[in-house]
PDB file of all heavy atoms in Angstrom:
ATOM      1  N   LEU M 109      71.720 236.773  90.156  1.00  0.00           N
ATOM      2  CA  LEU M 109      72.456 237.537  89.167  1.00  0.00           C
ATOM      3  C   LEU M 109      73.036 238.851  89.775  1.00  0.00           C
ATOM      4  O   LEU M 109      74.069 239.278  89.247  1.00  0.00           O
ATOM      5  CB  LEU M 109      71.473 237.856  88.072  1.00  0.00           C
ATOM      6  CG  LEU M 109      71.163 236.638  87.164  1.00  0.00           C
ATOM      7  CD1 LEU M 109      70.191 236.999  86.027  1.00  0.00           C
ATOM      8  CD2 LEU M 109      72.540 236.102  86.535  1.00  0.00           C
ATOM      9  N   ARG M 119      78.368 243.913  83.241  1.00  0.00           N
ATOM     10  CA  ARG M 119      77.414 242.907  82.652  1.00  0.00           C
ATOM     11  C   ARG M 119      76.047 243.018  83.125  1.00  0.00           C
ATOM     12  O   ARG M 119      75.155 242.358  82.660  1.00  0.00           O
ATOM     13  CB  ARG M 119      77.980 241.509  82.873  1.00  0.00           C
ATOM     14  CG  ARG M 119      79.117 241.086  82.034  1.00  0.00           C
ATOM     15  CD  ARG M 119      79.577 239.646  82.331  1.00  0.00           C
ATOM     16  NE  ARG M 119      78.548 238.727  82.063  1.00  0.00           N
ATOM     17  CZ  ARG M 119      78.144 238.175  80.817  1.00  0.00           C
ATOM     18  NH1 ARG M 119      78.881 238.552  79.866  1.00  0.00           N
ATOM     19  NH2 ARG M 119      77.241 237.376  80.825  1.00  0.00           N
ATOM     20  N   LEU M 120      75.838 243.932  84.124  1.00  0.00           N
ATOM     21  CA  LEU M 120      74.538 243.992  84.686  1.00  0.00           C
ATOM     22  C   LEU M 120      73.421 244.309  83.696  1.00  0.00           C
ATOM     23  O   LEU M 120      72.396 243.730  83.688  1.00  0.00           O
ATOM     24  CB  LEU M 120      74.536 244.945  85.822  1.00  0.00           C
ATOM     25  CG  LEU M 120      75.048 244.477  87.172  1.00  0.00           C
ATOM     26  CD1 LEU M 120      75.049 245.578  88.259  1.00  0.00           C
ATOM     27  CD2 LEU M 120      74.299 243.262  87.649  1.00  0.00           C
ATOM     28  N   PRO M 121      73.637 245.335  82.794  1.00  0.00           N
ATOM     29  CA  PRO M 121      72.579 245.574  81.884  1.00  0.00           C
ATOM     30  C   PRO M 121      72.267 244.312  80.919  1.00  0.00           C
ATOM     31  O   PRO M 121      71.047 244.082  80.746  1.00  0.00           O
ATOM     32  CB  PRO M 121      73.175 246.682  80.954  1.00  0.00           C
ATOM     33  CG  PRO M 121      74.224 247.317  81.797  1.00  0.00           C
ATOM     34  CD  PRO M 121      74.765 246.324  82.738  1.00  0.00           C
ATOM     35  N   VAL M 122      73.286 243.689  80.528  1.00  0.00           N
ATOM     36  CA  VAL M 122      72.979 242.381  79.764  1.00  0.00           C
ATOM     37  C   VAL M 122      72.216 241.520  80.561  1.00  0.00           C
ATOM     38  O   VAL M 122      71.201 240.856  80.097  1.00  0.00           O
ATOM     39  CB  VAL M 122      74.386 241.847  79.275  1.00  0.00           C
ATOM     40  CG1 VAL M 122      74.097 240.584  78.426  1.00  0.00           C
ATOM     41  CG2 VAL M 122      75.141 242.935  78.480  1.00  0.00           C
ATOM     42  N   LEU M 123      72.677 241.205  81.802  1.00  0.00           N
ATOM     43  CA  LEU M 123      71.991 240.337  82.735  1.00  0.00           C
ATOM     44  C   LEU M 123      70.587 240.717  82.965  1.00  0.00           C
ATOM     45  O   LEU M 123      69.674 239.861  82.957  1.00  0.00           O
ATOM     46  CB  LEU M 123      72.787 240.137  84.005  1.00  0.00           C
ATOM     47  CG  LEU M 123      74.194 239.584  83.912  1.00  0.00           C
ATOM     48  CD1 LEU M 123      74.884 239.650  85.285  1.00  0.00           C
ATOM     49  CD2 LEU M 123      73.991 238.034  83.571  1.00  0.00           C
ATOM     50  N   GLY M 124      70.400 241.981  83.075  1.00  0.00           N
ATOM     51  CA  GLY M 124      69.022 242.487  83.354  1.00  0.00           C
ATOM     52  C   GLY M 124      68.148 242.236  82.268  1.00  0.00           C
ATOM     53  O   GLY M 124      66.991 241.838  82.481  1.00  0.00           O
ATOM     54  N   ARG M 125      68.603 242.508  80.992  1.00  0.00           N
ATOM     55  CA  ARG M 125      67.748 242.194  79.853  1.00  0.00           C
ATOM     56  C   ARG M 125      67.449 240.695  79.870  1.00  0.00           C
ATOM     57  O   ARG M 125      66.330 240.304  79.501  1.00  0.00           O
ATOM     58  CB  ARG M 125      68.520 242.713  78.643  1.00  0.00           C
ATOM     59  CG  ARG M 125      68.385 244.171  78.393  1.00  0.00           C
ATOM     60  CD  ARG M 125      68.843 244.498  76.941  1.00  0.00           C
ATOM     61  NE  ARG M 125      70.173 244.232  76.637  1.00  0.00           N
ATOM     62  CZ  ARG M 125      71.212 245.018  76.928  1.00  0.00           C
ATOM     63  NH1 ARG M 125      70.988 246.267  77.479  1.00  0.00           N
ATOM     64  NH2 ARG M 125      72.432 244.632  76.620  1.00  0.00           N
ATOM     65  N   LYS M 126      68.451 239.915  79.954  1.00  0.00           N
ATOM     66  CA  LYS M 126      68.201 238.497  79.905  1.00  0.00           C
ATOM     67  C   LYS M 126      67.150 238.043  80.940  1.00  0.00           C
ATOM     68  O   LYS M 126      66.202 237.337  80.663  1.00  0.00           O
ATOM     69  CB  LYS M 126      69.517 237.700  80.207  1.00  0.00           C
ATOM     70  CG  LYS M 126      70.419 237.609  78.916  1.00  0.00           C
ATOM     71  CD  LYS M 126      71.586 236.600  79.376  1.00  0.00           C
ATOM     72  CE  LYS M 126      72.403 236.505  78.063  1.00  0.00           C
ATOM     73  NZ  LYS M 126      73.595 235.664  78.297  1.00  0.00           N
ATOM     74  N   LEU M 127      67.265 238.590  82.094  1.00  0.00           N
ATOM     75  CA  LEU M 127      66.494 238.253  83.262  1.00  0.00           C
ATOM     76  C   LEU M 127      65.021 238.653  82.890  1.00  0.00           C
ATOM     77  O   LEU M 127      64.072 237.964  83.284  1.00  0.00           O
ATOM     78  CB  LEU M 127      66.902 238.910  84.463  1.00  0.00           C
ATOM     79  CG  LEU M 127      66.474 238.290  85.827  1.00  0.00           C
ATOM     80  CD1 LEU M 127      66.797 236.665  85.884  1.00  0.00           C
ATOM     81  CD2 LEU M 127      66.993 238.937  87.031  1.00  0.00           C
ATOM     82  N   ALA M 128      64.897 239.825  82.334  1.00  0.00           N
ATOM     83  CA  ALA M 128      63.523 240.391  81.984  1.00  0.00           C
ATOM     84  C   ALA M 128      62.953 239.377  81.058  1.00  0.00           C
ATOM     85  O   ALA M 128      61.666 239.095  81.117  1.00  0.00           O
ATOM     86  CB  ALA M 128      63.668 241.695  81.424  1.00  0.00           C
ATOM     87  N   ARG M 129      63.751 239.020  80.007  1.00  0.00           N
ATOM     88  CA  ARG M 129      63.155 238.045  79.085  1.00  0.00           C
ATOM     89  C   ARG M 129      62.782 236.725  79.769  1.00  0.00           C
ATOM     90  O   ARG M 129      61.567 236.227  79.459  1.00  0.00           O
ATOM     91  CB  ARG M 129      64.148 237.740  77.941  1.00  0.00           C
ATOM     92  CG  ARG M 129      64.265 238.831  76.915  1.00  0.00           C
ATOM     93  CD  ARG M 129      64.912 238.263  75.588  1.00  0.00           C
ATOM     94  NE  ARG M 129      66.260 237.877  75.820  1.00  0.00           N
ATOM     95  CZ  ARG M 129      67.272 238.781  75.619  1.00  0.00           C
ATOM     96  NH1 ARG M 129      67.046 240.033  75.448  1.00  0.00           N
ATOM     97  NH2 ARG M 129      68.538 238.375  75.848  1.00  0.00           N
ATOM     98  N   TRP M 130      63.565 236.165  80.609  1.00  0.00           N
ATOM     99  CA  TRP M 130      63.286 234.889  81.301  1.00  0.00           C
ATOM    100  C   TRP M 130      62.009 235.197  82.170  1.00  0.00           C
ATOM    101  O   TRP M 130      61.121 234.234  82.253  1.00  0.00           O
ATOM    102  CB  TRP M 130      64.446 234.495  82.149  1.00  0.00           C
ATOM    103  CG  TRP M 130      65.462 233.816  81.286  1.00  0.00           C
ATOM    104  CD1 TRP M 130      66.677 234.281  80.930  1.00  0.00           C
ATOM    105  CD2 TRP M 130      65.447 232.498  80.769  1.00  0.00           C
ATOM    106  NE1 TRP M 130      67.369 233.385  80.238  1.00  0.00           N
ATOM    107  CE2 TRP M 130      66.672 232.159  80.088  1.00  0.00           C
ATOM    108  CE3 TRP M 130      64.431 231.554  80.851  1.00  0.00           C
ATOM    109  CZ2 TRP M 130      66.889 231.003  79.400  1.00  0.00           C
ATOM    110  CZ3 TRP M 130      64.749 230.260  80.215  1.00  0.00           C
ATOM    111  CH2 TRP M 130      65.883 230.007  79.461  1.00  0.00           C
ATOM    112  N   GLY M 131      61.915 236.226  82.758  1.00  0.00           N
ATOM    113  CA  GLY M 131      60.803 236.566  83.639  1.00  0.00           C
ATOM    114  C   GLY M 131      59.580 236.508  82.814  1.00  0.00           C
ATOM    115  O   GLY M 131      58.472 235.992  83.284  1.00  0.00           O
ATOM    116  N   ALA M 132      59.633 237.224  81.693  1.00  0.00           N
ATOM    117  CA  ALA M 132      58.385 237.289  80.823  1.00  0.00           C
ATOM    118  C   ALA M 132      57.952 235.885  80.385  1.00  0.00           C
ATOM    119  O   ALA M 132      56.827 235.497  80.523  1.00  0.00           O
ATOM    120  CB  ALA M 132      58.690 238.188  79.617  1.00  0.00           C
ATOM    121  N   LEU M 133      59.018 235.216  80.028  1.00  0.00           N
ATOM    122  CA  LEU M 133      58.682 233.706  79.517  1.00  0.00           C
ATOM    123  C   LEU M 133      58.105 232.947  80.700  1.00  0.00           C
ATOM    124  O   LEU M 133      57.082 232.184  80.576  1.00  0.00           O
ATOM    125  CB  LEU M 133      60.023 233.041  79.017  1.00  0.00           C
ATOM    126  CG  LEU M 133      60.433 233.472  77.781  1.00  0.00           C
ATOM    127  CD1 LEU M 133      61.762 232.890  77.327  1.00  0.00           C
ATOM    128  CD2 LEU M 133      59.409 233.110  76.581  1.00  0.00           C
ATOM    129  N   MET M 167      61.343 238.829  89.098  1.00  0.00           N
ATOM    130  CA  MET M 167      62.630 238.306  88.856  1.00  0.00           C
ATOM    131  C   MET M 167      63.686 239.463  88.625  1.00  0.00           C
ATOM    132  O   MET M 167      64.939 239.165  88.810  1.00  0.00           O
ATOM    133  CB  MET M 167      62.537 237.452  87.634  1.00  0.00           C
ATOM    134  CG  MET M 167      61.824 236.115  87.982  1.00  0.00           C
ATOM    135  SD  MET M 167      61.609 235.049  86.550  1.00  0.00           S
ATOM    136  CE  MET M 167      63.136 234.223  86.441  1.00  0.00           C
ATOM    137  N   VAL M 168      63.335 240.548  88.272  1.00  0.00           N
ATOM    138  CA  VAL M 168      64.190 241.674  87.978  1.00  0.00           C
ATOM    139  C   VAL M 168      64.388 242.568  89.258  1.00  0.00           C
ATOM    140  O   VAL M 168      65.460 243.216  89.371  1.00  0.00           O
ATOM    141  CB  VAL M 168      63.701 242.468  86.823  1.00  0.00           C
ATOM    142  CG1 VAL M 168      64.588 243.677  86.546  1.00  0.00           C
ATOM    143  CG2 VAL M 168      63.659 241.774  85.513  1.00  0.00           C
ATOM    144  N   LEU M 171      67.554 242.301  91.181  1.00  0.00           N
ATOM    145  CA  LEU M 171      68.692 242.792  90.499  1.00  0.00           C
ATOM    146  C   LEU M 171      68.820 244.227  90.504  1.00  0.00           C
ATOM    147  O   LEU M 171      69.724 244.924  90.671  1.00  0.00           O
ATOM    148  CB  LEU M 171      68.658 242.160  89.073  1.00  0.00           C
ATOM    149  CG  LEU M 171      69.934 242.433  88.116  1.00  0.00           C
ATOM    150  CD1 LEU M 171      71.123 241.837  88.777  1.00  0.00           C
ATOM    151  CD2 LEU M 171      69.560 241.867  86.774  1.00  0.00           C
TER     152      LEU M 171
END
Side-chain angles (χ1 to χ4, degrees):
Chain M
L109 286 178
R119 284 180 57 82
L120 280 179
V122 179
L123 292 172
R125 280 196 296 275
K126 279 189 178 176
L127 199 59
R129 277 201 296 275
W130 280 105
L133 285 173
M167 289 176 77
V168 176
L171 186 61

